[in-house]
Amino acid sequence: MACETPLTQMNANLLSLRDLSVHFAHRGGQTTVVDRVSLDLAAGQVLGIVGESGSGKSQLLFSLMGLLAGNGRASGRALFEGVDLLSLPPKALDRLRGASLSMIFQDPMTSLNPYTRIGDQLAEGLIHHQAVPRAQALAEAVRMLDRVRIPDAARAARRYPHEFSGGMRQRVMIAMALLVKPKLLLADEPTTALDVTIQAQVLDLMSEIASETGTAILFVTHDLGVVARICDRVAVLYGGRIMEDGPAETMLTSPAHPYARGLLATTPRMDDALTPRLPTIAGTPRSGGAMLPSCPFAPRCGARLPACDTMPPLRPFGPERRLACHLQGET
Ligand SMILES: Nc1ncnc2c1ncn2[C@@H]1O[C@H](COP(=O)(O)OP(=O)(O)OP(=O)(O)O)[C@@H](O)[C@H]1O
Ligand SMILES: [Mg+2]
């Protein structure tokens, strides 16, 4: 199927998603949880993905890493430096993972080996993927632990994951992902367990490293303060579809989609690390149902029109913005 919104500069981008969908098979048929997402991400750019629980954020990232559950299937294209991640043989994808493509998982324990010292786990990526000598890899691991504010990093490197608090494990995961200097980092709510001050420091570090190394970040978050602090652009996901996307500052100050407006009702200031989490929007969040022909937000939308029985396409809406709403142009 042709893309709804052909984006320009396809070749300038590190990552280009085209009609990326994720489907899960079940006894009665299949459910689509990510629905024809098209996005571009350039080197060094940080793209935030926001949306309520169940909107498909994690599955979107998993599909890029080839980590969907057994009943899951991705369709469309996910071009990483021009190579489609969705059709790469497992071995080739494995070579990319941990080297130029790395992910920080929502639950840090799922990707830390409980029986291996933290320092060894971090060093492993450098030794395995970049042939860095062991002693040097360990020294770099300690330096990175220090940069994510793990106290007494040299000693901490000799500890096991269970000896760390949840927030520290999250920082270890961030250190692990940044250490290999990936070209693309998929970060799934990486700073949720951190207190505000540490969170701000770690976000600044991630920004710093992104601009130092040209790492691009797909940053999934519920937290609008995080968006304000680190993201260049933001895409708002609802029921697996992009409802609106654009530059972070514009999206935070003048969202156009009724869902995005509800979501961003309490506008954070760009310099404010203490912004609120997503406010509650009336109605039940939609997720995982059979795909409706209508706009998935229509049942909860205060501005619903008769036209909303059909899904509006995602269309350009001012400079560098796109919007999927029949109210487009009337708002
Ligand atoms: N193996 C599976 N089979 C069927 N449905 C699944 C499977 N795994 C996930 N889903 C469904 O996919 C939908 C999207 O899930 P996803 O984990 O991407 O949400 P999310 O946006 O990351 O939410 P949260 O903010 O809570 O992390 C949910 O409805 C979930 O139930
Ligand atoms: Mg998730």
Side-chain angles (χ1 to χ4, degrees):
M1 186 197 292
C3 301
E4 282 180 344
T5 311
L7 303 180
T8 49
Q9 300 177 318
M10 194 135 161
N11 298 328
N13 290 302
L14 183 72
L15 181 74
S16 291
L17 308 183
R18 291 295 176 273
D19 286 330
L20 177 71
S21 298
V22 174
H23 319 275
F24 285 110
H26 51 79
R27 244 177 277 143
Q30 76 168 19
T31 303
T32 301
V33 301
V34 175
D35 190 14
R36 285 162 285 163
V37 164
S38 295
L39 281 173
D40 284 319
L41 186 59
Q45 221 179 33
V46 184
L47 170 64
I49 302 199
V50 297
E52 288 170 331
S53 189
S55 56
K57 306 179 298 293
S58 293
Q59 301 308 324
L60 171 62
L61 300 193
F62 288 155
S63 70
L64 303 180
M65 292 291 276
L67 294 175
L68 290 174
N71 63 332
R73 178 178 67 83
S75 63
R77 281 179 300 158
L79 301 175
F80 176 66
E81 298 191 305
V83 174
D84 189 0
L85 296 174
L86 305 187
S87 51
L88 265 189
K91 269 200 175 146
L93 187 59
D94 211 35
R95 273 196 297 274
L96 283 183
R97 285 192 302 228
S100 31
L101 195 59
S102 90
M103 178 155 174
I104 304 171
F105 292 86
Q106 203 164 359
D107 172 6
M109 271 321 257
T110 55
S111 47
L112 290 174
N113 181 339
Y115 306 113
T116 306
R117 292 174 201 275
I118 288 295
D120 290 332
Q121 294 195 49
L122 262 74
E124 175 64 25
L126 290 178
I127 297 167
H128 183 71
H129 292 286
Q130 294 171 15
V132 175
R134 189 180 159 72
Q136 186 189 332
L138 272 169
E140 284 186 34
V142 169
R143 258 199 306 278
M144 190 54 86
L145 287 171
D146 189 54
R147 287 186 82 179
V148 296
R149 308 284 188 267
I150 297 280
D152 199 355
R155 266 185 56 197
R158 294 195 293 275
R159 299 215 175 102
Y160 292 90
H162 69 267
E163 297 177 70
F164 290 84
S165 68
M168 279 173 124
R169 280 200 288 262
Q170 216 169 29
R171 276 178 273 161
V172 167
M173 284 296 306
I174 292 169
M176 194 187 256
L178 293 175
L179 192 60
V180 292
K181 300 188 178 72
K183 289 180 179 165
L184 175 62
L185 174 61
L186 308 175
D188 197 354
E189 309 255 13
T191 57
T192 40
L194 307 184
D195 73 52
V196 173
T197 316
I198 300 271
Q199 183 180 71
Q201 290 170 349
V202 169
L203 289 173
D204 289 349
L205 171 69
M206 289 178 79
S207 284
E208 205 179 293
I209 289 186
S211 51
E212 255 172 42
T213 60
T215 295
I217 310 180
L218 256 188
F219 201 110
V220 165
T221 181
H222 274 95
D223 189 326
L224 305 179
V226 169
V227 169
R229 191 154 197 124
I230 190 171
C231 297
D232 302 306
R233 297 181 58 77
V234 185
V236 176
L237 215 59
Y238 188 85
R241 298 202 63 134
I242 297 179
M243 293 287 146
E244 181 173 359
D245 73 353
E249 192 158 4
T250 327
M251 293 287 293
L252 289 170
T253 50
S254 53
H257 194 283
Y259 172 63
R261 271 192 264 147
L263 202 64
L264 308 172
T266 323
T267 305
R269 294 198 321 268
M270 295 301 280
D271 59 351
D272 190 353
L274 281 169
T275 44
R277 307 209 138 224
L278 299 184
T280 310
I281 297 173
T284 313
R286 184 199 166 279
S287 78
M291 289 325 282
L292 307 167
S294 63
C295 168
F297 187 59
R300 292 168 81 192
C301 184
R304 181 178 185 157
L305 302 168
C308 304
D309 290 342
T310 60
M311 178 67 204
L314 187 61
R315 286 185 291 232
F317 179 71
E320 297 184 63
R321 268 177 99 173
R322 294 180 299 167
L323 175 65
C325 182
H326 288 298
L327 284 171
Q328 179 158 297
E330 295 173 33
T331 49

